[in-house]
Amino acid sequence: MTAALRPLDDELRRWADAGRIARLWLRDDDAVAASPALDDLLATLRRHRAPVLIAAIPARLEASLAPRLSGLCDVAVGVHGHAHVNHAAAGVKKSEYPAGRDRSTVRDELARGLADIRNAFGDVALPVFVPPWNRAYAGIARDLVASGYRALSTFADAHVGDDGEDIIVANAHIDVMFSPGARGGRRPDIVAGEVATMLACARTRTGRDHPVGILTHHLVHDADARETLDTLLGHLANHAAVRFLHPREVIAAADSASR
């Protein structure tokens, strides 16, 4: 154990002392094709036995991606917007689905995106919507449900649904990259410290705890991001109090926690 990762170890010891298992999961955004960067991510995840939700962009899919992910039992594929195109007004934070877009156009894109992902990936596809830039208009949950989606995944505590809407929210919480991604990967101790903080919140939260999500972007990973992810997952995988969830389990856990 290194001193830099001690806060994470201390938190995991609290989980173990309580006889509980800390649940984590991974989501990777912006997939469009097979690539060396994707191969590197999948190899790291396989090495540490960590399943992942690959958020793929329907309108930009290349034929190479589906065969690359075929047969990987620890991989599921979600819907990452439609074309990952910014429709927000100038001076407003980027969003493919900002307030004011024509709702019939949006619903058509949502339905076609899910159909495209299901056609390309078959049983590996999940009805999970991941909005580009983790943003969408308030109330998109209603249109997601109408379009056949079961879950929504954004970032941190972002919420873009209506209260009482029948959508499961399963967010990621910690990014291995700086934002914007061009600034590179973050140090292992910083990311591990954020994981420890989120796990402490989950451990002490009233009611059932939500799985803690780690976010990656394989296309822009640099050496720092790859090292951080490998170090973090390797450290977590060695703890008996840790379990990496398959994306299907994440949806089930989020659904249970919301009831």
Side-chain angles (χ1 to χ4, degrees), residues 197-254:
T197 298
M198 289 303 305
L199 287 175
C201 291
R203 178 175 51 82
T204 58
R205 185 180 291 127
T206 301
R208 304 191 64 163
D209 57 275
H210 293 262
V212 172
I214 299 169
L215 180 60
T216 63
H217 298 79
H218 69 274
L219 288 173
V220 294
H221 283 184
D222 58 3
D224 290 337
R226 292 191 293 271
E227 179 184 359
T228 290
L229 184 63
D230 193 37
T231 298
L232 178 65
L233 295 185
H235 203 72
L236 290 166
N238 286 327
H239 278 271
V242 169
R243 181 165 176 259
F244 293 121
L245 299 186
H246 191 281
R248 294 184 187 278
E249 296 178 284
V250 176
I251 294 174

Side-chain angles (χ1 to χ4, degrees), residues 163-219:
D163 290 340
E165 191 60 64
D166 190 20
I167 194 82
I168 298 165
V169 177
N171 288 348
H173 306 93
I174 299 105
D175 198 334
V176 302
M177 300 292 296
F178 281 105
S179 181
R183 290 176 57 196
R186 305 166 73 211
R187 296 202 321 260
D189 60 317
I190 294 176
V191 176
E194 291 183 1
V195 172
T197 298
M198 289 303 305
L199 287 175
C201 291
R203 178 175 51 82
T204 58
R205 185 180 291 127
T206 301
R208 304 191 64 163
D209 57 275
H210 293 262
V212 172
I214 299 169
L215 180 60
T216 63
H217 298 79
H218 69 274
L219 288 173

Side-chain angles (χ1 to χ4, degrees), residues 39-121:
D39 289 344
D40 183 83
L41 173 71
L42 293 174
T44 299
L45 299 178
R46 182 170 59 251
R47 186 162 55 250
H48 301 300
R49 302 178 302 281
V52 65
L53 176 72
I54 300 288
I57 305 171
R60 292 170 54 189
L61 284 182
E62 296 184 18
S64 62
L65 185 59
R68 179 64 186 88
L69 301 181
S70 177
L72 301 182
C73 61
D74 281 344
V75 172
V77 180
V79 184
H80 195 29
H82 176 63
H84 209 301
V85 172
N86 179 33
H87 290 287
V92 179
K93 289 183 177 181
K94 292 181 179 180
S95 174
E96 188 165 20
Y97 296 102
R101 277 201 74 191
D102 178 72
R103 296 292 277 270
S104 63
T105 300
V106 168
R107 286 191 290 268
D108 178 65
E109 289 185 1
L110 294 177
R112 281 192 291 130
L114 181 56
D116 288 346
I117 293 298
R118 282 174 164 162
N119 288 337
F121 299 98

